[in-house]
Every structure is written in C-alpha cells, then in structure tokens.
Amino acid sequence: MTHESGSSAHGREFDPSAYGRKIADVYDTTVEQLPTDAAVDRLHELADGGPVLEFGIGTGRLALPLAARGLAVAGVDGSAEMVEVLRSKPGGDRIPVTVGDFAATRVEGEFALVVLALNTIFALPSQDAQVNCFRNAAAHLRPGGRFVVEAWVPDPAAFRNGSALRLLSLSEDTVLAEAARLSTADQMMYTTKIRMTAGGLRLLPANHRYAWPAELDLMARLAGLEREHRWSDWTGTPFTDDSRTHVSVYRL
Ligand SMILES: C[S@@+](CC[C@H](N)C(=O)[O-])C[C@H]1O[C@@H](n2cnc3c(N)ncnc32)[C@H](O)[C@@H]1O
C-alpha cells in the first residue's frame, strides 16, 4: 500500500480519508441490502477479462468477488481504515491498493475497466474535482476500455424546505436512517446517517456534490469518453423518467 495526499485536485481543502475514517468499522452493515451480486455480474461482463481498477474500493464489496472470479483487480481509496477492513478479509491481502484521492492518484498499469460505484463520484467536492476524476479514469484505460459510474439522480422534490429524513433499513437490532439538507445553489447535499442499536447511536456524515446524468456525460466528453450505456440499475433496467439511480458506462 502506498500513501499520497491528494487535495490539490480540488482547489480547496478536502480530506478524502474523512468518510472512511468515521464509518470503516460498520460500513459493511450499511450496505447489506444492496444488489451486490447483480453489480458483480454486470462488472464482470463489462471487464471482458479485465484488468479492473476500482476508485473508492472501500472494504472490497465489489472487488473481492470480482477477484474471486479470476479478474486482476486493483484499487484506490482515500481511507486507510477502509483498506484495513478489506485486508482483513479472505483474499484482501492480494488486491493492490493505493491510498490517495482518486481524482488525482495514478497507479501502474492499463485497465479494461475503471469502476466508481455507489454515488462516490459525488464525494468529490466540486465540479472541477469530478472532471479531474473522469480524466484520471480515462488516463488508466486501455483503448476501448470502460469507465462505469453508479450514482443517484438528484431529486430536489424529495426535500421539504430543503431538508429530508428517511428510513434506510430496519431490523429488530438496528435502525438506519438518514437526515439530509439540500443546497441547490451549489449542488450540495449534506447528509448524516444515524445508526441506532442497543449499544447506542452512531452519526455517519457524508457530503455530496451532486450532478445530473447529463452533467456527468459532459465530464466524460471532456475526458475523451463516450457514453455506451445508461441503465437505471445493474440488471440493465432501461433508464426512464422514473429512474432514481443510474449505471452509466463510458468508453474510451
Ligand atoms: C460508499 S464507499 C464505496 C465502497 C465500495 N466501492 C462499495 O461499493 O462498497 C466510498 C469509498 O470511497 C472512498 N473515497 C471517498 N472519496 C474518495 C476520494 N476522493 N478518493 C479516494 N477514495 C475516496 C471512501 O473512503 C470509501 O471507501
């Protein structure tokens, strides 16, 4: 694992380790409900034999099953704590991970697929940083390689007076809720997840500089990428007026 500090890409102070530092020990419990198998199936198909680079590899939710299917997988993540969880899992010590900001960090090699899943493009705090991320993804691709971005579609109508509170998951042991505030002027959504268990409360903050799919398409074009697909989920459901999320595939 190597270390790089990567805030220069953003033009203002930004700490790519902040999210992971606060959530690493419980992160996996917050993503149990996600359609991980469908995502892995689709990524495996798009990699076309690999190799794969995952920006924001985290605890290996996608990377470990992709590696288990025989693909060479590498990662970049801002948080040493998240990578430590990945390392503790079977096969985790065989995945090379560079700790740094994925808008700026370069790793060795040319890849068939670069992946940026689960809205993590919005973790970058500005349009400039997001454009840099698309350029960085393109710089890691071999000719014909793909960059896959999974993100939600902004939905200001879900907010009342600029704020929203929603239940994310509920079991007898754990309740996960999210409080969110929207700033439409600067396209920011500030959220704190609240994880409630018998052991107490945990507050898990995350800020998002959100962008509509069309803005992401323009960032891709600035980086020399063309859109190949847009689905509303990993199974390939068509993207429509009602889609609240998208999986977009860009090609070099
Ligand atoms: C929501 S988690 C997703 C983890 C994994 N990709 C998954 O699908 O489960 C986002 C990950 O991106 C990392 N991250 C956020 N911003 C980053 C940045 N600018 N540079 C590198 N890593 C970043 C966090 O540390 C975290 O591990």
Side-chain angles (χ1 to χ4, degrees), residues 39-57 60-76 86 94-98 107-117 137 140-142 145-149 234:
V40 171
D41 285 346
R42 179 64 72 184
L43 291 171
H44 183 259
E45 179 191 314
L46 291 169
D48 203 16
V52 178
L53 175 64
E54 187 176 0
F55 283 172
I57 192 170
R61 181 179 69 91
L62 301 170
L64 286 169
L66 287 171
R69 291 197 189 186
L71 294 177
V73 182
V76 176
L86 163 66
R94 290 196 292 278
I95 297 186
V97 180
T98 303
V107 306
E108 289 271 319
E110 265 201 338
F111 296 85
L113 183 70
V114 177
V115 182
L116 183 50
H140 284 92
L141 288 175
R142 66 188 187 197
R146 294 178 166 107
F147 181 37
V148 181
V149 177
W234 291 107

Side-chain angles (χ1 to χ4, degrees), residues 10 14 16-17 19-20 27 31 54-62 76-79 82 100-103 117-118 120 123-124:
H10 310 296
F14 166 68
S17 69
Y19 171 83
Y27 175 79
V31 291
E54 187 176 0
F55 283 172
I57 192 170
T59 62
R61 181 179 69 91
L62 301 170
V76 176
D77 202 282
S79 160
M82 293 290 273
D101 182 350
F102 54 58
L118 211 48
T120 307
L124 293 167

